[in-house]
Amino acid sequence: MHSEKLWRLADKVANEYISREDTVAVAVTGSLAKQTTWEGSDVDLWVFSKREDGFQEGMDNGIYWEADIKHTSVLEIPFDLQRWLTPPKLKENDGNLYDALWQCKIVYDPTGKLAQYKARIDETMADDDWLEARRKNYLLYGRGCLDALKFANPLHAIVIARDIATMYGIASYWMGQKQLLSSLRRVPENLSAAPHIQTLYKSIYNLKGRQGAEEYWHHLDRLPAAVKQKIQTDLDYEIRPVYQLGYYDGSVCKLLQLLAKQFDPEEVRPWLCIDSDPESHKRRILQEVQELITLCSSS
């Protein structure tokens, strides 16, 4: 029933974009397209337009939707296999075109250009040798990023090491399962099939289950007003719902990632789950991320 509601909303939003003269193609992405929806799934679309890039979001009958809008010129760029093999830099992990379009459902594509792009992406992902090469590149790049943190400021090293754990370690784990990293709001829970990796990941983020999450969300009320205002939409639309659904570690993890991305660590330090001795915490987390990458390399 939830999937049916999601599809109704996806069709409604997609048709709104299709009715615009500047829209060239529309695809439904994410769990809805891959038929892996869960009780907290929302609607994700990619829209290719003659206008400039953008992002739009909304809430409809309690269901969140978002649309990444890309200029149609990206569909004119030749498919770059080598670029997809290369791990993105830490600041460039959002909105990977190829990752997003893998197994997408095209709902509007009169020129057929999006279908051609999707076919190349799906074909490439089905190549086990290529996917294994990409996985190894992520692991190697993650180790290099981690080594560069040895002499970094402790607070910055901690938040960057966490990002490395997710974007290169956990991403490579999912590639080993012939999947791509998704559902960032519930990564800790989704690692239940790999308990050793899950335990390390939870330690890296200082996740402590339901009790820890309840304490954290209570503490969140004391966020500075300017900080809370900047993340309020994410809190209301994306993070609070997964907390209410019982994904306690996932909700805290996503909040930590959001705060680290949006603010300087010093500004939000009390809400980053950092130990009282940052230098000691840094040593611990660098070791744990190294262990996690090693485990992911053999998964």
Side-chain angles (χ1 to χ4, degrees):
M1 289 296 295
H2 186 54
S3 292
E4 293 176 5
K5 291 180 180 179
L6 292 172
W7 272 116
R8 283 198 292 271
L9 177 57
D11 289 339
K12 175 183 176 182
V13 177
N15 285 330
E16 290 176 358
Y17 284 105
I18 292 170
S19 67
R20 302 177 186 179
E21 293 184 357
D22 53 88
T23 298
V24 175
V26 179
V28 176
T29 61
S31 62
L32 184 57
K34 296 179 176 65
Q35 299 182 18
T36 57
T37 56
W38 55 291
E39 63 267 41
S41 287
D42 47 30
V43 171
D44 301 293
L45 298 102
W46 276 56
V47 177
F48 298 87
S49 170
K50 295 177 183 178
R51 296 184 181 182
E52 67 276 5
D53 291 359
F55 176 81
Q56 294 181 333
E57 62 185 348
M59 185 74 77
D60 191 301
N61 290 323
I63 301 176
Y64 173 70
W65 65 267
E66 62 180 35
D68 283 280
I69 303 171
K70 299 296 178 184
H71 192 273
T72 185
S73 60
V74 301
L75 297 177
E76 305 291 341
I77 301 172
F79 182 79
D80 192 341
L81 188 62
Q82 186 59 42
R83 179 182 177 185
W84 203 17
L85 270 173
T86 304
K89 296 179 181 178
L90 282 168
K91 298 292 186 180
E92 299 175 354
N93 278 300
D94 291 339
N96 182 297
L97 174 66
Y98 297 167
D99 281 14
L101 293 182
W102 176 57
Q103 293 186 334
C104 71
K105 298 297 183 184
I106 298 172
V107 295
Y108 181 70
D109 183 29
T111 67
K113 291 181 180 179
L114 179 55
Q116 293 175 9
Y117 236 78
K118 177 186 182 302
R120 290 295 309 275
I121 291 168
D122 289 351
E123 176 186 333
T124 302
M125 274 291 294
D127 184 336
D128 290 346
D129 291 338
W130 178 88
L131 191 56
E132 178 62 14
R134 187 175 190 238
R135 189 176 78 91
K136 290 180 177 178
N137 284 349
Y138 270 62
L139 291 164
L140 181 63
Y141 190 79
R143 288 191 180 99
C145 292
L146 198 63
D147 287 343
L149 296 179
K150 290 180 179 178
F151 303 104
N153 171 280
L155 292 183
H156 287 84
I158 291 167
V159 298
I160 294 173
R162 287 171 169 171
D163 207 10
I164 292 169
T166 302
M167 305 315 300
Y168 305 119
I170 301 304
S172 70
Y173 166 77
W174 284 114
M175 287 181 218
Q177 314 304 309
K178 305 187 187 307
Q179 297 290 325
L180 294 177
L181 178 63
S182 62
S183 294
L184 284 174
R185 296 175 296 163
R186 55 188 185 127
V187 166
E189 289 80 8
N190 282 348
L191 291 171
S192 59
H196 296 304
I197 293 176
Q198 184 185 53
T199 297
L200 267 176
Y201 191 74
K202 291 174 67 173
S203 180
I204 288 165
Y205 278 92
N206 269 351
L207 304 174
K208 300 176 181 178
R210 178 172 184 170
Q211 181 177 350
E214 289 176 348
E215 292 174 355
Y216 185 85
W217 276 84
H218 179 72
H219 185 47
L220 207 64
D221 290 338
R222 294 192 287 274
L223 269 174
V227 172
K228 185 177 290 188
Q229 181 178 10
K230 191 170 182 178
I231 66 170
Q232 195 65 55
T233 298
D234 294 278
L235 282 174
D236 293 341
Y237 284 4
E238 296 201 72
I239 304 177
R240 194 182 306 277
V242 299
Y243 169 76
Q244 294 169 339
L245 287 169
Y247 293 89
Y248 302 112
D249 285 333
S251 69
V252 174
C253 188
K254 183 60 178 177
L255 271 166
L256 294 175
Q257 293 166 350
L258 178 64
L259 290 172
K261 178 181 178 180
Q262 297 281 353
F263 306 96
D264 184 279
E266 290 288 357
E267 186 178 358
V268 291
R269 177 177 174 177
W271 295 273
L272 290 179
C273 295
I274 292 176
D275 296 346
S276 58
D277 182 353
E279 190 62 54
S280 175
H281 190 160
K282 172 188 169 181
R283 290 193 297 270
R284 172 175 69 82
I285 202 171
L286 293 185
Q287 178 62 37
E288 288 178 337
V289 175
Q290 183 64 54
E291 292 175 13
L292 181 138
I293 289 176
T294 299
L295 283 175
C296 290
S297 68
S298 59
S299 62

